[in-house]
Amino acid sequence: MKEIEVIIDTEEIAEFFYNELTKRGYVPGESELEELADITFDYLLNKCIIDEDLDFENED
């Protein structure tokens, strides 16, 4: 069974929050988005949903 590799980064998280918040009528600043992205990334690490130490080099 082949493992699926998913890369999650804070820029992607910040963009997601920006899009979702603006849909709901909020206009967050860049610094707020960066903080939300960092908090979310830390949350995913704490819940072991992502692993910060993964090696993403090709295994060919």
Side-chain angles (χ1 to χ4, degrees), residues 35-57:
E35 287 299 320
L36 284 170
D38 287 342
I39 291 166
T40 303
F41 193 83
D42 290 342
Y43 174 79
L44 295 173
L45 284 172
N46 286 334
K47 292 294 185 175
C48 298
I49 295 170
I50 58 174
D51 183 355
E52 189 174 39
D53 297 324
L54 285 178
D55 184 10
F56 293 109
E57 293 182 21

Side-chain angles (χ1 to χ4, degrees), residues 3-55:
E3 187 174 317
I4 297 173
E5 183 179 305
V6 176
I7 298 173
I8 298 173
D9 65 23
T10 54
E11 288 180 27
E12 182 180 0
I13 295 169
E15 183 178 333
F16 176 80
F17 272 108
Y18 178 81
N19 290 331
E20 292 302 312
L21 288 168
T22 55
K23 284 181 196 176
R24 292 166 171 80
Y26 298 99
V27 183
E30 187 174 333
S31 63
E32 288 89 1
L33 289 172
E34 289 174 6
E35 287 299 320
L36 284 170
D38 287 342
I39 291 166
T40 303
F41 193 83
D42 290 342
Y43 174 79
L44 295 173
L45 284 172
N46 286 334
K47 292 294 185 175
C48 298
I49 295 170
I50 58 174
D51 183 355
E52 189 174 39
D53 297 324
L54 285 178
D55 184 10

